[in-house]
Amino acid sequence: MSVTSQTRPPAAPAPAGAPGPRGRVATVLAPLADRWRVVKRSLERPLTSYYLILGGTSMLLAIGLMMVLSASSVYSFKVHDSSYYIVLKQLTWVAIGLPAAWVASRIDRRWLRRLAWPAVGVAVVLLALTQTSLGFAVNGNRNWLALGPLTVQPSEIAKLSVVLWAADVYARKERLLGNPVQALVPVAPVVVMISGLVVFQHDLGTALVLFAILLGMLWVVGVPARLFGIALSVVGVAAFYLAASNAERRTRLTSFIDPFADFQGAGWQAGHGLLGMASGGLLGKGLSASQQKWGSLPEAHTDFIFAVLGEELGLVGTLLVLALFGAVAYAMIRLAINTADPFVRYASAGICIWLMSQTLINIGMVLALLPVIGIPLPLVSYGGSALVPSLVALGLLVGFARDEPEARAALRARRRDRAPRDDDGTTPRSGVPAVLAGGLRSRRRGTERGRA
């Protein structure tokens, strides 16, 4: 039996003008490349940091008020006989924080640096007063202070004070920071002392944020990797020891890995947080439709508000919040890199480290990636003691971004463009609007012709 060799017929030639595979890919990617170039040019504009911080903060604050109203309505009605009690208190803090942020954006930089030193002293005094009769405990943490009708959490004030004070110290020692001892002293001993006062209040979460600020600032000023690694190891060992030395913290440390193993006990809060996030799906159940806020999820409007947000707004809502935090972080880093003022550089970096580390810890806690240690989500969670210092810090960054030379020139040019102009293109000297000025000129010309 003979085997007949078979050959494939030659492939038909491609029609003239038809793009090949590479051409089709290039055709698809071309619009994306054009859009990316537009976005890149927009991000390189002088006022990018200014608008990103201002816009991102405003949107996060609006989302936070909306979620506080939704997450606290059941608890507020149960405890205070009004579904709006807690959100009205939050609105009061917003009414205090926004003017404070505006003042912070306008304050002279020299006065700000002078105020940073007494601010650290005031924070230390307030932290010490929590151990007196003026202090009281909430959820086992004696970190609250009653000053007449006002209750404050001094550790939140300490975060802003530490950042501004450390920025001023490093700005003064700019030329000496090549020496590791100059970079460590006096910032490291003071921050460790303040963190010790916070740990003495049994507030491990805030102490971790303060340690993160210290390590981040040391990295920014260029401490050698060897010393930075030693400091990171010491902080890690100290945090693990503090967590393991307390029975409640030890239970939280072991239960977050699998909250459902002890769902009715130590894993209750973390487990219900995961259930809320998982049940939201892509678009969520809708505003005010959360089931976990009906008593199953403790601290729904404070530490675990991100779980309620994920349940009601779904994956889209959580990604929007993450994108807003990312935009604000990008603006802060951009400001720290581009500025020529060392104080602005270190203050911007310190505020970025503070707010973003707190955000990561809170979200990691809700997602059961970290133990439950009681850290609020900046600008979103309920609480005036955390909200007002955060708004003041962001107000400072808005002022820093607006005072950059290129940004200031861009703002002046924009004001000139918006100013009314005469027929010859010059700005009128009088304060009369251009439309009225034109009417007055035509009436004056008619009067002069009548007289002639």
Side-chain angles (χ1 to χ4, degrees):
M1 183 173 60
S2 62
V3 179
T4 305
S5 62
Q6 297 181 357
T7 58
R8 293 182 180 180
R22 292 184 180 180
R24 286 194 294 269
V25 172
T27 303
V28 173
L29 294 181
L32 297 178
D34 292 338
R35 292 180 182 178
W36 168 246
R37 282 192 288 269
V38 172
V39 172
K40 188 176 180 181
R41 284 197 299 268
S42 300
L43 293 177
E44 292 174 352
R45 292 177 180 176
L47 291 171
T48 295
S49 297
Y50 174 76
Y51 285 123
L52 282 179
I53 295 174
L54 195 61
T57 300
S58 302
M59 292 186 68
L60 285 171
L61 190 60
I63 292 173
L65 288 172
M66 179 177 63
M67 294 312 305
V68 166
L69 172 60
S70 176
S72 67
S73 57
V74 176
Y75 172 84
S76 183
F77 183 80
K78 180 180 178 180
V79 177
H80 303 286
D81 293 328
S82 173
S83 298
Y84 305 102
Y85 178 84
I86 289 178
V87 73
L88 288 176
K89 287 189 66 176
Q90 186 76 346
L91 282 170
T92 303
W93 285 114
V94 171
I96 295 172
L98 288 180
W102 183 84
V103 172
S105 69
R106 301 285 175 173
I107 191 172
D108 186 85
R109 207 166 295 171
R110 292 170 297 180
W111 279 103
L112 179 62
R113 297 180 64 172
R114 292 171 187 169
L115 291 173
W117 290 76
V120 170
V122 170
V124 171
V125 171
L126 292 177
L127 288 170
L129 287 177
T130 58
Q131 304 305 314
T132 65
S133 59
L134 295 175
F136 61 96
V138 176
N139 296 330
N141 296 339
R142 193 179 178 86
N143 55 355
W144 289 88
L145 195 63
L147 301 175
L150 186 65
T151 58
V152 296
Q153 196 172 0
S155 56
E156 298 294 338
I157 302 173
K159 296 174 187 176
L160 177 60
S161 303
V162 163
V163 168
L164 295 180
W165 174 75
D168 181 66
V169 170
Y170 285 140
R172 294 175 186 271
K173 302 170 71 172
E174 174 80 4
R175 298 181 180 179
L176 305 175
L177 294 179
N179 186 348
V181 176
Q182 295 290 339
L184 290 172
V185 180
V187 173
V190 171
V191 176
V192 169
M193 178 194 67
I194 293 176
S195 302
L197 291 174
V198 174
V199 170
F200 196 65
Q201 300 173 346
H202 306 289
D203 188 358
L204 181 59
T206 302
L208 287 177
V209 174
L210 289 170
F211 279 131
I213 293 172
L214 173 61
L215 293 176
M217 295 290 281
L218 291 177
W219 180 77
V220 168
V221 300
V223 170
R226 176 173 54 85
L227 292 179
F228 185 80
I230 294 173
L232 185 61
S233 302
V234 170
V235 170
V237 171
F240 183 80
Y241 170 77
L242 291 172
S245 61
N246 182 277
E248 182 182 357
R249 296 197 199 105
R250 188 166 56 249
T251 303
R252 291 181 177 182
L253 187 65
T254 55
S255 64
F256 85 95
I257 300 174
D258 185 9
F260 299 102
D262 187 15
F263 186 63
Q264 299 296 326
W268 177 268
Q269 189 171 17
H272 279 283
L274 285 177
L275 288 176
M277 293 289 295
S279 62
L282 181 62
L283 299 177
K285 298 178 178 178
L287 279 175
S288 194
S290 169
Q291 295 176 330
Q292 298 299 325
K293 69 181 181 182
W294 288 82
S296 300
L297 181 63
E299 309 297 334
H301 57 287
T302 54
D303 300 341
F304 271 74
I305 197 169
F306 193 72
V308 180
L309 189 148
E311 185 180 4
E312 295 187 351
L313 301 182
L315 179 64
V316 173
T318 56
L319 291 180
L320 172 62
V321 171
L322 292 177
L324 290 174
F325 276 116
V328 174
Y330 169 80
M332 290 189 281
I333 295 172
R334 182 179 184 273
L335 179 60
I337 292 175
N338 293 337
T339 185
D341 189 332
F343 174 75
V344 174
R345 181 186 313 122
Y346 298 129
S348 302
I351 293 172
C352 180
I353 295 164
W354 158 29
L355 295 179
M356 294 305 116
S357 64
Q358 189 164 319
T359 300
L360 292 176
I361 292 174
N362 177 271
I363 295 176
M365 179 181 68
V366 172
L367 297 177
L369 300 175
L370 295 173
V372 179
I373 52 177
I375 288 290
L377 186 61
L379 300 175
V380 180
S381 293
Y382 167 77
S385 295
L387 178 64
V388 174
S390 300
L391 286 176
V392 170
L394 291 165
L396 291 173
L397 293 178
V398 169
F400 294 160
R402 188 187 57 240
D403 289 341
E404 287 295 298
E406 293 182 358
R408 197 182 304 117
L411 286 174
R412 282 199 300 265
R414 184 164 299 180
R415 293 192 193 100
R416 286 196 301 267
D417 293 340
R418 291 177 179 176
R421 298 181 181 276
D422 281 334
D423 295 335
D424 57 356
T426 60
T427 303
R429 296 181 180 179
S430 65
V432 181
V435 176
L436 295 179
L440 291 175
R441 281 195 298 271
S442 61
R443 185 179 300 176
R444 190 179 301 114
R445 294 191 191 108
T447 304
E448 290 174 354
R449 282 196 294 269
R451 289 177 181 175

